[in-house]
Amino acid sequence: MADIKLMKGNEAFAEAAIRAGCDAYFGYPITPQSEVLEYLTAQEPHKRTGMVVLQAESELAAINMVYGAAGTGKRVMTSSSGPGISLKQEGISYMAGSELPCLILNVMRGGPGLGTIQPSQSDYFQATRGGGHGDYYTPVLAPASVQEMSDFVKLGFELAFRYRNPVVILSDGIIGQMMEKVELFPQQPRLAEFDQSWVTTGKTPDRKRNIITSVDLDSARQEKHNQDLQKKYQRMRENEVRFESTNCDDADYILVAFGSASRICQKTVKIAREKGIKLGLLRPVTLFPFPAEEIKRLGRQVKGMLCVELNAGQMIEDVRLAVENNTVVALHNRMGGMVPTPEEVYHAILQKFSIE
Amino acid sequence: MEKENLRLDEIIREENIVFKKTPLLTDKVFSYCPGCGHGVVHRVIMEVIDELGIQSETIGISPVGCSVFAYDFMNIDMQQAAHGRAPAVATGIKRCWPDKYVFTYQGDGDLAAIGTSETIHACNRGEHIAIFFINNGIYGMTGGQMAPTTLPGMKSSTTPYGRDTRLMGNPIKITELVATLPGTYFVTRQSVHTAVNVRKLKKAAKMAFENQKLKKGLSFIEVVSNCNSGWKMSPIQANRWMEENMLPFYPIGDIKINGNFVKRN
Amino acid sequence: MNEEIIIAGFGGQGVLLMGKIMAYAAMMQNLEVSWMPSYGPEMRGGTANVTVVISTERISSPIVNSYDTAILLNQQSLDKFENSVKPGGMILYDPNGISRHPERKDIKIFQVSAASEAAKMLTTKTFNMIVLGAYLKTGSPIRLEDVIKAISDSLPERHHHLIPANVEAVKKGMEIVQEINS
Ligand SMILES: Cc1ncc(C[n+]2csc(CCOP(=O)(O)OP(=O)(O)O)c2C)c(N)n1
Ligand code: SF4
C-alpha cells in the first residue's frame, strides 16, 4: 500500500533522506529549514538505519563535515538557508574541485544580508552559477511541491553519484513550510557495498593512495582538470535537463517560473484560460542545466513570455539568452518575502502584453 | 682530510646505516625548508602508523599551510581540508568510519586562528580522533605573518616592530585551553628540536592512535617547532631561539593523560 | 470542489493545528490538500494564520488572496480578512472579545462561542477543537469520523488520554454553532 502522509516540505525532505539510505547529515539551525534537523533528531535515524545526524557548530563546520564524509564515498547531505548557504560556499567549491558527491538543500529566504525569513528565490544566481569561487557548476533541482521535496532526494543522490558532484536542491520558505500530501518511497538500504576505488578507507597494499584534494599548483595540470570538469558539466547539459509544461502546445503567451512561483502561475493559467486567453506555463525543474532549448522553441511560437520570480529578476537572464530575441520577455516579480497572487500575475500578463 | 676521499657508495653500506627512511614516507622530496620541524613530525607520525600496522585503516587530513601537501609525503589515504576546517573534515570521516584511525595535521594559523571554532568544537564533542598541531609561532606558508601564537614582542611580517599585545592581544595557549574541555582525553605539548624530544613525541603519537580504539575522546598533540624562514634565522639559530623564547612560554610536557590532568610543579 | 480556507487568530490559540487536522481529515477522503502557515517566530499573543486548500483536483497555488471560508478568531484577523472572502463564501468567528462584528451581506456568517465554552469545559486547550466542530456544521467537505481519526493520528502516544476531551469539544462545537444572518 502506498505510504501517504501529510507533511511539511522540510519534513518530507528529512524523511526521504532517511529512506534514501543517506549515511550522514550535518547541519546547523536556520529558519525556514530548521525542521530538517529537528525532524531528523526526533526520528533518531541512528536507530532506524544507522544514519549519522550531527548538529555542527556552524555552517562552515557542517559543510566541511560533509566534505570529509563525502570523501568516504557515502551518501551525505546538509541543508541551510541564505546566510548559511553563503558560508557553505567554501565547502561546496572544494567538493566541486575534488569531485565529491553530496546533496545540499537551500530553503531560500529573502536577502541580502540577514534579510528576512520569508520566502524568496533570490539565490538563483548563486545556485546556478556555482556559488563559490572557481569555475564550476552544480546540478540544481527546484522542487515545486512537498512531493518533490521527497522525490528529489533520491534523484539528487543519483545525479550526485552519476557525476561525482555536489547537487543543490533549491527550495524556498513556501515549499519548505507548507504541508501537502506526500507519497513516500519505501525504505532503501544504506549502501553496504559501494565503489570504494577512489574513496578514503585506509591504503591497502594492493592499491595506490587515495587522495581527495582540489589543489594542484601545476598550471597545465590544473587547466586539464578544469577542462575535464567543463566536459562533465557539458554532459549534464546534454542529459539532465528537466522541465514541466502546462498548456504550452497552443499557447499565445507563456509564463516561465520555477519552484513556488510556478505553483502560483498554475492558478494564473487556469484563470486566463477561463477568460479565453491562451496562456501556458513552462516550469524549469532543473535550473542548471537550464531548459534553454525548450524555451527557445517556445519563443518562436508565442507572442510573449512573462517570467515570474520572487527576486529582482534573475532567471529572466537565462530566459532572454535562450529565446535569442525571438519573442518579448517581460518580468513580474516580488521581493523581500512578498509573494504575488495568481490574480496579480494575471493582470501583469494583460498589462505587459497589452491584452484587451 | 682522508675521509673526504671516501666515495659515497663506500659510505652507504648496509652495516653503516643507522637511520632509515620510514617505508610510509613516499619518495617525494620534502618541500619544507631545511631545518623545519614539519618533516620530522611527518616522519614520526608515519613511523607510528607503520609500527602499529594500521596503514590500511588510517586517514589523514592535511591543512592549508606549509603542510598542505602532506599527502604527497605520507603514503596513506588523505584528504585536503579548507583553511582551518580539518577538525570538521575529520569529524565527517570519523562519523562515517567510526572504527578507522583519523588524524589532522595543522599549523597554528590553521588551528588557532581561522579554525579555532572547529578545533574547540571537535575537542568538545570528544571526537575520537588525533590532532597534530604544529606551533611555529607564525604563518609560514604566506610569508611569516603574525599567528595567534606569535610571542609578545616577536617580529613578523605583520608585526614588524614586534607583537604589541595592546594592539594584537596575547598569544593563545590553545593546548591548555582545549585541555579544560571534558572531550579531550590526552593533551600534550612536545617538540622535535633534539633526538630525545623526537622520541618523546613518538611515544605521544603512538598513544594518540592507540587512544582511538578506546573511544574515550580526542587526543591533542602540540609540537612546538621552528619556522626558520619566517623567523629569518638559520636552522640552528632558530632552534636556539625557540628553546630560549618559545619553550618558556609553551612548556613541554603532558597536560592531560587518560582524561586526567597531570600535576605539574 | 475547491475550498480555500483561511484560519487566523492569536498564536497559542491552536490555529495551525486546527488547520492541520482539517487537512489531514480531508486527506482521509482522498482529497488533495495544502496547508501553508504564516511562519516565523510565533509567540503567544502574536498573530498566526494558515491557509488550507482542499480540492478534488491537484492544487495549484497554496497561496491565495481570496477565500471561500474564513475562520477568524480575533478582531485583527476579522478586520484584515473580512473583505477577502469571496461573494457567496462564509465567515466563522467567535464573538468573544469582538467589538466590530462582520458586516458583509453577500456571505454567510456563523458564530461559535468557543472561548466561553472552552472555559466551561475547564480547559482552554479545547478552544480550537470547538471551532473546528463548528466548521464541520457549515457545509464543509470534512467528515466527523475523519476528524476523530486525524486527532488521534496527530497526537503523540503520550497524549492519547486527551483524545476523548478533544472529540467531545468537536461535538460541542457542532452543537453550539449558529448561523446569524439567515
Ligand atoms: C580562507 C583562507 N584564508 C587565507 C588563506 C591563506 N593562507 C594560506 S596558509 C595560511 C597560514 C598558514 O599558517 P599556519 O597554519 O601557521 O601553518 P604554517 O604554514 O605555519 O605551517 C594562510 C593565511 C587561505 N588559503 N584560505
Ligand atoms: S616556511 Fe617555515 S614552516 Fe614553512 S617549511 Fe619553511 S620553515 Fe617550515
Side-chain angles (χ1 to χ4, degrees):
Chain A
M1 212 190 74
D3 192 354
I4 294 176
K5 288 220 159 68
L6 180 68
M7 288 182 126
K8 282 191 172 194
N10 288 336
E11 295 167 343
F13 174 83
E15 176 62 30
I18 301 173
R19 292 185 182 224
C22 177
D23 293 292
Y25 168 92
F26 304 93
Y28 188 79
I30 184 170
T31 311
Q33 64 80 49
S34 295
E35 291 85 358
V36 176
L37 179 57
E38 287 165 357
Y39 184 92
L40 285 174
T41 48
Q43 285 292 316
E44 302 187 288
H46 57 280
K47 291 185 188 156
R48 275 177 65 181
T49 64
M51 174 183 175
V52 171
V53 175
L54 187 63
Q55 173 172 347
E57 65 273 21
S58 69
E59 287 89 350
L60 272 172
I63 196 70
N64 283 285
M65 289 174 186
V66 168
Y67 172 59
T72 69
K74 301 202 177 187
R75 291 193 191 117
V76 296
M77 68 194 301
T78 185
S79 64
S80 191
S81 184
I85 294 289
S86 290
L87 286 177
K88 284 182 178 165
Q89 293 305 335
E90 173 187 83
I92 299 172
S93 170
Y94 271 66
M95 282 187 276
S98 49
E99 298 195 79
L100 294 184
C102 76
L103 195 55
I104 301 145
L105 169 68
N106 178 356
V107 183
M108 285 184 282
R109 52 190 252 172
L114 206 45
T116 167
I117 57 174
Q118 297 307 321
S120 161
Q121 299 183 316
S122 52
D123 301 345
Y124 178 92
F125 281 152
Q126 186 194 50
T128 58
R129 270 68 177 166
H133 58 283
D135 256 328
Y136 73 92
Y137 291 95
T138 61
V140 180
L141 300 169
S145 63
V146 173
Q147 185 65 50
E148 287 183 342
M149 284 291 272
S150 161
D151 296 346
F152 286 2
V153 172
K154 225 163 143 189
L155 174 62
F157 274 129
E158 271 164 35
L159 294 176
F161 279 84
R162 186 175 307 154
Y163 295 98
R164 263 180 63 189
N165 207 72
V167 168
V168 171
I169 297 184
L170 195 66
S171 182
D172 65 47
I174 296 175
I175 307 294
Q177 290 295 327
M178 79 170 168
M179 280 203 237
E180 284 187 309
K181 219 153 84 164
V182 50
E183 183 174 344
L184 296 165
F185 53 83
Q187 179 67 51
Q188 298 182 347
R190 287 173 56 229
L191 290 182
E193 310 233 320
F194 54 94
D195 178 13
Q196 298 195 350
S197 58
W198 56 274
V199 311
T200 55
T201 58
K203 182 196 166 319
T204 44
D206 55 335
R207 67 160 170 83
K208 282 209 191 133
R209 291 167 299 144
N210 283 338
I211 304 295
I212 311 261
T213 184
S214 56
V215 54
D216 192 337
L217 300 183
D218 180 295
S219 296
R221 276 201 309 262
Q222 189 62 257
E223 183 180 49
K224 169 80 170 56
H225 174 56
N226 267 278
Q227 284 163 345
D228 290 344
L229 289 179
Q230 293 303 321
K231 280 185 203 145
K232 180 167 87 172
Y233 307 140
Q234 191 52 35
R235 285 207 307 281
M236 293 176 189
R237 287 189 189 95
E238 283 159 15
N239 300 309
E240 305 301 345
V241 171
R242 287 168 174 80
F243 58 86
E244 184 189 60
S245 28
T246 313
N247 296 21
C248 285
D249 291 349
D250 66 341
D252 288 332
Y253 303 94
I254 295 270
L255 297 172
V256 188
F258 68 95
S260 58
S262 74
R263 290 290 293 270
I264 294 158
C265 290
Q266 271 172 19
K267 179 131 194 201
T268 307
V269 170
K270 274 191 207 158
I271 296 172
R273 289 269 163 181
E274 275 164 21
K275 304 248 160 92
I277 297 170
K278 288 185 181 165
L279 183 65
L281 167 65
L282 191 279
R283 166 169 89 96
V285 172
T286 49
L287 303 181
F288 178 86
F290 193 69
E293 279 304 314
E294 179 64 10
I295 288 175
K296 180 175 172 182
R297 194 183 66 78
L298 289 171
R300 295 206 194 93
Q301 164 197 319
V302 300
K303 296 182 194 154
M305 286 190 185
L306 183 70
C307 295
V308 181
E309 302 186 59
L310 309 186
N311 57 41
Q314 300 189 11
M315 179 193 64
I316 191 172
E317 293 195 1
D318 289 333
V319 174
R320 285 208 170 113
L321 278 173
V323 300
E324 293 174 352
N325 278 336
N326 282 316
T327 191
V328 193
V329 180
L331 173 70
H332 183 72
N333 70 312
R334 299 298 298 264
M335 291 182 280
M338 295 301 288
V339 177
T341 62
E343 290 79 10
E344 183 184 321
V345 176
Y346 173 68
H347 289 293
I349 283 273
L350 298 187
Q351 191 228 325
K352 305 264 174 182
F353 300 117
S354 312
I355 304 173
E356 299 293 304
Chain B
M1 267 203 297
E2 197 183 346
K3 267 188 188 161
E4 282 174 26
N5 298 331
L6 276 174
R7 292 205 333 266
L8 213 56
D9 56 353
E10 291 176 79
I11 304 171
I12 305 178
R13 274 199 308 230
E14 197 57 40
E15 61 269 29
N16 286 342
I17 292 178
V18 289
F19 174 82
K20 263 198 291 195
K21 206 186 86 198
T22 158
L24 289 200
L25 284 174
T26 63
D27 289 337
K28 181 105 179 173
V29 178
F30 278 145
S31 50
Y32 303 113
C33 309
C36 172
H38 275 311
V40 185
V41 184
H42 281 25
R43 195 192 79 221
V44 168
I45 297 174
M46 288 305 106
E47 279 177 5
V48 166
I49 292 173
D50 187 32
E51 285 164 25
L52 293 174
I54 55 171
Q55 179 192 27
S56 63
E57 301 158 76
T58 302
I59 297 151
I61 294 124
S62 74
V64 169
C66 280
S67 47
V68 57
F69 292 119
Y71 59 76
D72 276 342
F73 315 121
M74 300 184 178
N75 192 12
I76 55 171
D77 279 3
M78 287 194 81
Q79 183 158 3
Q80 200 285 315
H83 202 15
R85 316 293 176 234
V89 176
T91 300
I93 297 174
K94 186 76 182 195
R95 296 278 177 141
C96 280
W97 295 135
D99 295 324
K100 308 223 180 213
Y101 298 87
V102 177
F103 73 93
T104 72
Y105 186 101
Q106 305 174 257
D108 41 13
D110 193 83
L111 181 139
I114 194 166
T116 317
S117 171
E118 284 78 3
T119 304
I120 299 273
H121 287 280
C123 289
N124 193 47
R125 286 190 302 264
E127 299 293 339
H128 310 307
I129 59 172
I131 291 182
F132 289 91
F133 163 41
I134 315 308
N135 175 8
N136 54 18
I138 210 158
Y139 284 11
M141 184 184 218
T142 40
Q145 296 85 1
M146 184 192 70
T149 47
T150 300
L151 296 177
M154 182 172 163
K155 285 186 181 161
S156 74
S157 69
T158 50
T159 52
Y161 311 109
R163 178 175 186 152
D164 181 346
T165 55
R166 287 168 310 173
L167 288 178
M168 298 311 309
N170 283 288
I172 295 180
K173 292 186 181 177
I174 193 131
T175 306
E176 277 80 355
L177 215 144
V178 298
T180 64
L181 302 170
T184 49
Y185 187 65
F186 173 43
V187 181
T188 187
R189 182 182 284 119
Q190 302 294 335
S191 82
V192 288
H193 67 298
T194 71
V196 177
N197 286 289
V198 173
R199 276 201 293 279
K200 285 190 183 153
L201 170 67
K202 189 164 166 184
K203 225 178 107 200
K206 202 166 229 158
M207 191 135 125
F209 281 99
E210 282 171 340
N211 281 346
Q212 297 197 33
K213 273 190 284 203
L214 307 177
K215 303 204 168 155
K216 286 194 169 165
L218 190 142
S219 298
F220 190 98
I221 302 184
E222 171 175 342
V223 184
V224 183
S225 183
N226 76 71
C227 172
N228 51 73
S229 296
W231 296 357
K232 310 223 176 325
M233 295 176 195
S234 72
I236 292 168
Q237 276 176 326
N239 272 339
R240 195 176 306 132
W241 192 89
M242 188 183 95
E243 261 185 286
E244 286 165 7
N245 299 278
M246 296 276 283
L247 296 187
F249 192 83
Y250 298 113
I252 287 172
D254 295 327
I255 298 173
K256 204 175 180 184
I257 294 184
N258 298 344
N260 300 312
F261 280 96
V262 176
K263 285 217 176 61
R264 292 218 216 175
N265 28 10
Chain C
M1 191 270 302
N2 188 65
E3 162 120 320
E4 293 167 340
I5 307 159
I6 177 115
I7 314 170
F10 290 121
Q13 276 180 326
V15 161
L16 300 187
L17 181 63
M18 192 197 322
K20 183 178 169 186
I21 288 175
M22 283 162 55
Y24 196 99
M27 198 177 80
M28 300 274 108
Q29 294 179 56
N30 266 330
L31 293 168
E32 297 298 322
V33 294
S34 74
W35 174 99
M36 179 69 215
S38 62
Y39 63 87
E42 262 151 46
M43 291 162 293
R44 258 167 205 286
T47 59
N49 69 63
V50 58
T51 304
V52 176
V53 183
I54 301 174
S55 180
T56 40
E57 282 165 50
R58 178 176 158 189
I59 292 165
S60 51
S61 178
I63 293 180
V64 285
N65 63 342
S66 58
Y67 309 94
D68 301 293
T69 295
I71 302 175
L72 306 173
L73 303 171
N74 61 14
Q75 187 71 61
Q76 259 171 300
S77 306
L78 198 54
D79 294 346
K80 185 167 173 195
F81 293 110
E82 179 175 355
N83 288 328
S84 316
V85 179
K86 297 176 197 167
M90 79 94 168
I91 288 180
L92 168 65
Y93 79 110
D94 183 344
N96 178 46
I98 298 295
S99 52
R100 197 200 60 77
H101 292 257
E103 287 151 12
R104 294 264 304 263
K105 297 284 177 255
D106 58 338
I107 57 175
K108 290 183 180 175
I109 297 184
F110 290 88
Q111 265 191 1
V112 58
S113 295
S116 60
E117 201 57 42
K120 275 191 235 160
M121 295 177 89
L122 296 178
T123 160
T124 51
K125 291 250 168 69
T126 55
F127 169 82
N128 57 348
M129 293 298 115
I130 299 172
V131 178
L132 176 55
Y135 168 68
L136 295 186
K137 277 292 198 186
T138 61
S140 113
I142 299 172
R143 300 182 301 220
L144 175 63
E145 70 237 48
D146 293 325
V147 167
I148 295 173
K149 176 105 177 52
I151 292 174
S152 38
D153 284 2
S154 10
L155 278 178
E157 201 81 49
R158 68 199 143 88
H159 288 149
H160 271 193
H161 62 282
L162 299 173
I163 295 173
N166 278 287
V167 172
E168 203 192 316
V170 174
K171 289 184 177 156
K172 193 71 190 173
M174 294 173 77
E175 211 177 287
I176 63 171
V177 63
Q178 290 175 348
E179 185 168 357
I180 60 166
N181 62 347
S182 58

